Amino acid sequence: MDRSLLSGNEAVARGAYEAGARFGAGYPGTPSTEILEEFSRYPGVYAEWSPNEKVALEVGIGAALAGARVLVTMKHVGVNVAADPLFTVSYTGTNGALVIVTADDPSLHSSQNEQDNRHYARSAKIPMLEPSDSAEAKAFVKAAFEISERFDTPVFLRMTTRVSHSKSVVTLNEPVPPPEAEVKAPDPRKYVMVPAMARLRRLEVERRMGELRAFSETFPENRMEINDTDVGIITAGMPYNYTKDVFPDYSYLKLGMVYPLPAGLIREFARRVKKLYVVEELDPFLEEQIRALGIEVTGKELFPFTNEFDPGIIALALTGRDAETIAPPAVAIPPRPPNLCPGCPHRGLFYVLGRMKVFVTGDIGCYTLSFMKPLSGLHSCICMGASIGMAHGMSKAAGEKGRGKVVGVIGDSTFVHSGITPLLDMAYNKGEAVIVICDNRTTAMTGMQEHPATGFTLQGEKTKELDLAALARTLGIDSVRTIDPYDIKNTREVLREELARPGSSVVISRRACVLFKRRPREVLKPLRVDVNKCTGCRNCLALGCPPISWRSFQDLPPEEVVRNTKKQDGNAYIDPELCTGCTLCRQVCKAGAIVEVD
Amino acid sequence: MAERKKKNSGQELQQPVRGILMAGVGGQGILRASDILSHAFMASGLDVKKSEVHGMAQRGGCVTSHVRYGAKVYSPIDRRGNVDILLAFERLEALRYLDYLKRDAKVVINDLALNPPAVNLGEMAYPKDILSFFTATFPEVKIVKAFELARQAGNARAENTVLLGTLSRWLDIEIPVWERVIKEAFPPQAAEVNLRAFHLGREA
């Protein structure tokens, strides 16, 4: 069969397709996003972006009850949103097959926390598999579908950023045909979880866990590699590769199933090696369970609790010797954090907000980056949707003193995900905060995914387009206005008016993401600085726009220095290759020094 | 540092795992370049793994990609002090990942400076003398004006393929394999430009 170089995420999609899954639902979130995008392109597949992870899981439960094999994908914090149906679908079972992918993010590459979702498997009593590379990702998702159907249980597939976003060689196989789904005859004792029935299903869950524990002893992906028996390593997922890279000759118990654990296999492995280590990122999840078996093991006293590992971290922990590296020259290396793109529509809005005396509760999206200097236009970020409830709570608690002082900002996709109920709360409970929906017409941060307000589905079909302004009015918001964030003066005026107004306000700051290709964007001429007019006031630099830089006169050849004011010590420069011509800098330049490139 | 024990299969001894680190700035085409490189290793019959962190790739932040190849590769990322070849798409980014390099690492640096925000704002200086530090520190350093060569090839955005061409001089991958994987990575017209860019980089 064909060999292909696939990312872990592409391999999960391929594995689900090969396993006969034709139904998928999820919400985008790094590092999980590409799984559903890729899955949606296979023939015969129905896949949808749901408004949030809770809805995606509920859609998946319904499809599985009809007998389908279903893939539901989300990032680690998405499981928090989906936790309500999760804990009870464990009781009802799935009828068909239901595989839930949780993509964890050790090192918080693109997340607000570093939670270890293996705990969800234990607390919801759901088995969990964890692959270490793309070939295993494809094999394990197929195993997950088999386990789900055989034991009538949802199954977790735990990915981490490093497995999701690494590519390695995968052998492709032919897909098996999907099962036929149908609307089943009702079975209230299994699916109506009122207390009397749920108590019975509760017993069933414990019986199933017993069966799964027995299964884990013979599951071939829990495998021993006996080599040098002086040292034995129990590990799973990507840390297996890191450890194997530096210590290929130790003995390994590699766990493909991280919950429930195979107690017999672990005891046998412990007997066969002299010194036993557990190598796992984040929490001592395996370690504590192995200790509870009465087995002596070394783990977190040597290995860090935080961040993802790499082969060097393993080597340092097990040998105490750090890598030999080359001494750097004695210079400060300027950091290069991610930044809002040139021409980003968020920039104008946050330039204005950063200059008002308001607390801006923020949310999850590209615009979160505007907390940084020089914009400094956002002051909190907790989770998807939190901005609105927080703004309402803050404004209520501060009472009269808080009037006109609190703004909540939230992206269009994030608003649809979990901003609607808090906005309803604010209207219902007579809140007075100003909520800005940063509507860039797409889910930009994760790479331009569709959502209910874009008018398109994941599979590219035109559909109903949610009218955000009409929704806000229907929820009971007193004042709803729309602005173009490329217009700084109007943005400032509208925000001032809404902050001064009694009652609740929603301002929709609407302009498509500058990278969004579906919406044709007028091509604007790049701008340049006229050095004969620039006074060196640095107003334009306060936009934090990547093409604009400061040229100190000290660093310029004398013939290029043009001084327009006495104290001027440099001037601004705009890189014409990067400038998109959005004109924000021209609007903030008091000297009229920013003009179109000829 | 823990030495890699040499008791493995004969095959693994024949083709030990080697690591290439690509480093640059979001938007420079690093992920595409490391994809092409990985396909070239795969097409040459080797095991290969590559890894990078997505998500911020278009927002001007640092982007790195590890490519590791050999008879059997476990880790897709390298440890500090162990990278065999650095392919830096920008001068400052070469310096940022210095601690990943072996003492005798080979280095390709694109002769390009992209100012980070703190430099744009005039708060920090862009370090001087990066190129001379590398040429004084490492035995084999190639400095390439990839932007000019890419423009010469027909598209300034083909910088990444120019740099792959320069890197190719140090790798045991046959030219027809390179040409095939480059053709497969682009639509026909862009493929022609990128093949020219590759060869200009290889001659640089």
Side-chain angles (χ1 to χ4, degrees):
Chain A
M1 284 305 299
D2 285 350
R3 274 164 24 110
S4 196
L5 189 70
L6 298 185
S7 70
N9 282 350
E10 290 166 335
V12 171
R14 175 74 200 184
Y17 173 67
E18 288 181 7
R22 295 291 181 275
F23 196 103
Y27 181 81
T30 311
S32 72
T33 313
E34 302 85 2
I35 300 172
L36 205 60
E37 288 183 318
E38 188 68 20
F39 182 63
S40 75
R41 295 184 194 118
Y42 283 103
V45 161
Y46 171 80
E48 67 167 49
W49 289 130
S50 307
N52 65 37
E53 295 85 352
K54 176 178 184 288
V55 177
L57 180 53
E58 290 155 352
V59 168
I61 292 169
L65 254 55
R69 291 185 186 137
V70 180
L71 183 70
V72 177
T73 67
M74 57 196 71
K75 71 180 290 173
H76 63 334
V77 288
V79 181
N80 302 339
V81 179
D84 203 356
L86 177 77
F87 278 73
T88 306
V89 70
S90 168
Y91 284 26
T92 62
T94 54
N95 182 42
L98 178 62
V99 174
I100 304 162
V101 180
T102 165
D104 291 13
D105 191 17
S107 281
L108 303 95
H109 295 287
S110 295
S111 303
Q112 68 271 37
N113 79 28
E114 202 182 30
Q115 68 189 50
D116 185 334
N117 274 11
R118 293 178 299 174
H119 297 295
Y120 269 116
R122 197 176 182 187
S123 50
K125 299 175 187 285
I126 292 174
M128 176 181 270
L129 308 186
E130 183 172 358
S132 70
D133 64 12
S134 301
E136 283 191 354
K138 184 170 86 81
F140 283 23
V141 76
K142 292 167 96 167
F145 277 107
E146 284 165 22
I147 293 168
S148 179
E149 267 176 4
R150 176 167 162 197
F151 295 93
D152 190 25
T153 176
V155 177
F156 268 125
L157 184 79
R158 182 192 188 228
M159 303 289 281
T160 57
T161 303
R162 198 54 73 178
V163 179
S164 282
H165 286 171
S166 292
K167 288 192 177 180
S168 55
V169 182
V170 178
T171 304
L172 305 185
N173 302 102
E174 288 298 329
V176 302
E180 278 197 27
E182 57 180 346
V183 176
K184 305 278 170 183
D187 180 358
R189 298 212 311 175
K190 188 158 185 280
Y191 297 116
V192 183
M193 288 300 95
V194 294
M197 320 279 193
R199 282 184 202 113
L200 298 175
R201 292 301 301 176
R202 178 79 188 79
L203 298 173
E204 179 60 22
V205 169
E206 292 307 325
R207 193 194 59 74
R208 186 181 73 207
M209 283 312 300
E211 281 186 0
L212 284 162
R213 271 190 286 272
F215 171 79
S216 74
E217 300 287 354
T218 56
F219 180 52
E221 297 296 348
N222 288 334
R223 64 167 199 264
M224 273 200 266
E225 298 170 9
I226 300 297
N227 216 333
D228 175 353
T229 54
D230 282 352
V231 178
I233 308 276
I234 300 178
T235 186
M238 189 52 89
Y240 166 77
N241 289 319
Y242 298 152
T243 317
K244 201 74 183 164
D245 186 84
V246 273
F247 301 109
D249 300 322
Y250 290 164
S251 293
Y252 287 80
L253 173 58
K254 182 185 177 296
L255 298 172
M257 182 185 273
V258 293
Y259 192 78
L261 293 183
L265 203 58
I266 291 168
R267 285 206 175 89
E268 187 193 336
F269 184 69
R271 269 198 303 275
R272 291 175 71 169
V273 299
K274 287 200 187 107
K275 171 81 186 164
L276 191 61
Y277 295 94
V278 175
V279 183
E280 59 187 323
E281 289 168 338
L282 307 184
D283 295 340
F285 181 80
L286 304 175
E287 181 182 339
E288 285 174 355
Q289 293 181 75
I290 292 166
R291 275 232 177 85
L293 296 172
I295 295 167
E296 197 185 317
V297 66
T298 304
K300 290 295 171 185
E301 56 264 57
L302 289 182
F303 292 94
F305 281 83
T306 58
N307 292 333
E308 63 176 348
F309 293 172
D310 67 23
I313 286 169
I314 311 278
L316 175 64
L318 290 182
T319 66
R321 287 189 303 269
D322 203 356
E324 271 180 55
T325 57
I326 290 154
V331 291
I333 298 181
R336 201 187 290 277
N339 192 357
L340 298 179
C341 302
C344 174
H346 297 317
R347 182 170 280 106
L349 172 69
F350 286 92
Y351 174 82
V352 170
L353 286 172
R355 271 149 197 80
M356 291 180 140
K357 290 198 172 83
V358 289
F359 192 102
V360 180
T361 59
D363 225 294
I364 308 271
C366 293
Y367 50 92
T368 318
L369 296 172
S370 63
F371 84 93
M372 285 185 291
K373 284 203 284 187
L375 289 174
S376 309
L378 178 144
H379 310 124
S380 74
C381 168
I382 300 276
C383 69
M384 296 285 285
S387 58
I388 299 177
M390 284 175 65
H392 171 54
M394 187 179 284
S395 138
K396 277 277 174 192
E400 274 305 309
K401 283 186 181 166
R403 189 155 295 206
K405 292 274 198 310
V406 186
V407 175
V409 296
I410 185 164
D412 47 337
S413 186
T414 310
F415 175 71
V416 174
H417 177 283
S418 48
I420 300 171
T421 43
L423 193 64
L424 174 64
D425 179 53
M426 191 175 101
Y428 168 57
N429 287 306
K430 303 178 182 177
E432 301 227 314
V434 173
I435 303 304
V436 182
I437 301 175
C438 311
D439 181 12
N440 62 4
R441 317 300 290 130
T442 183
T443 316
M445 190 79 187
T446 44
M448 315 298 155
Q449 286 73 34
E450 306 294 351
H451 61 71
T454 68
F456 286 87
T457 69
L458 164 59
Q459 292 180 302
E461 286 172 26
K462 192 108 185 58
T463 183
K464 292 178 185 68
E465 182 177 330
L466 172 65
D467 181 337
L468 295 173
L471 174 63
R473 283 189 204 101
T474 301
L475 293 176
I477 297 300
D478 297 315
S479 169
V480 181
R481 297 171 74 178
T482 300
I483 55 170
D484 176 0
Y486 269 11
D487 183 342
I488 289 183
K489 187 158 169 276
N490 184 248
T491 297
R492 188 186 294 122
E493 278 170 13
V494 168
L495 284 171
R496 279 192 183 143
E497 284 166 20
E498 294 307 313
L499 283 163
R501 180 198 301 277
S504 55
S505 296
V506 162
V507 176
I508 298 171
S509 173
R510 174 168 294 166
R511 183 171 270 272
C513 170
V514 71
L515 302 177
F516 192 29
K517 297 207 173 75
R518 190 176 63 227
R519 296 197 168 247
R521 196 168 58 85
E522 74 257 63
V523 179
L524 303 168
K525 275 195 171 179
L527 304 178
R528 68 176 177 86
V529 175
D530 181 348
V531 293
N532 295 313
K533 287 187 180 165
C534 178
T535 59
C537 72
R538 301 177 195 239
N539 273 0
C540 55
L541 290 167
L543 289 163
C545 187
I548 310 178
S549 59
W550 178 250
R551 295 206 301 190
S552 171
F553 286 159
Q554 285 177 348
D555 302 333
L556 286 182
E559 66 273 17
E560 283 185 33
V561 171
V562 183
R563 238 185 212 92
N564 297 311
T565 62
K566 268 188 194 163
K567 287 185 178 171
Q568 188 175 355
D569 59 350
N571 53 30
Y573 170 75
I574 299 173
D575 183 340
E577 298 282 337
L578 294 177
C579 178
T580 64
C582 77
T583 77
L584 291 183
C585 55
R586 194 164 72 188
Q587 293 173 49
V588 303
C589 179
K590 291 190 176 131
I594 295 176
V595 294
E596 279 184 5
V597 167
D598 312 316
Chain B
M1 182 171 46
E3 281 303 306
R4 196 186 173 85
K5 290 182 191 170
K6 298 282 167 81
K7 294 197 297 191
N8 273 341
S9 68
Q11 204 188 16
E12 219 157 307
L13 276 182
Q14 275 168 21
Q15 189 59 262
V17 174
R18 295 170 62 81
I20 298 171
L21 176 61
M22 299 187 182
V25 177
Q28 286 194 293
I30 292 160
L31 308 188
R32 172 77 69 105
S34 69
D35 257 8
I36 293 171
L37 177 61
S38 301
H39 276 108
F41 284 127
M42 192 170 85
S44 306
L46 293 171
D47 190 19
V48 61
K49 286 185 177 175
K50 70 159 229 166
S51 189
E52 61 255 340
V53 173
H54 301 206
M56 301 291 178
Q58 283 182 304
R59 287 162 193 86
C62 306
V63 174
T64 60
S65 182
H66 288 267
V67 177
R68 306 193 73 226
Y69 61 100
K72 168 70 188 166
V73 180
Y74 286 101
S75 175
I77 52 171
D78 225 322
R79 57 192 197 269
R80 287 158 59 245
N82 200 54
V83 163
D84 297 282
I85 304 178
L86 171 69
L87 187 62
F89 285 56
E90 199 267 356
R91 295 204 301 249
L92 179 59
E93 297 312 303
L95 194 55
R96 196 184 304 281
Y97 299 97
L98 179 68
D99 64 342
Y100 272 88
L101 304 188
K102 276 182 180 159
R103 195 152 285 284
D104 60 349
K106 295 174 179 173
V107 179
V108 178
I109 304 179
N110 186 12
D111 190 5
L112 171 77
L114 295 173
N115 285 345
V119 175
N120 271 351
L121 294 173
E123 291 168 357
M124 285 182 89
Y126 191 98
K128 293 186 167 66
D129 309 323
I130 293 175
L131 297 181
S132 55
F133 169 79
F134 272 89
T135 45
T137 308
F138 293 94
E140 283 191 77
V141 178
K142 282 180 190 280
I143 294 159
V144 190
K145 291 194 185 301
F147 184 77
E148 283 170 28
L149 293 175
R151 200 142 52 180
Q152 208 177 311
N155 187 345
R157 297 193 51 166
E159 263 183 301
N160 53 357
T161 330
V162 170
L163 292 168
L164 278 180
T166 311
L167 170 72
S168 72
R169 294 296 286 266
W170 292 330
L171 299 177
D172 202 12
I173 297 171
E174 291 172 6
I175 291 291
V177 170
W178 278 113
E179 289 179 343
R180 197 173 81 226
V181 294
I182 289 170
K183 274 186 200 154
E184 282 166 5
F186 298 96
Q189 215 179 346
E192 286 306 309
V193 172
N194 279 280
L195 283 173
R196 278 199 297 278
F198 175 84
H199 284 288
L200 284 170
R202 192 172 165 89
E203 306 311 319

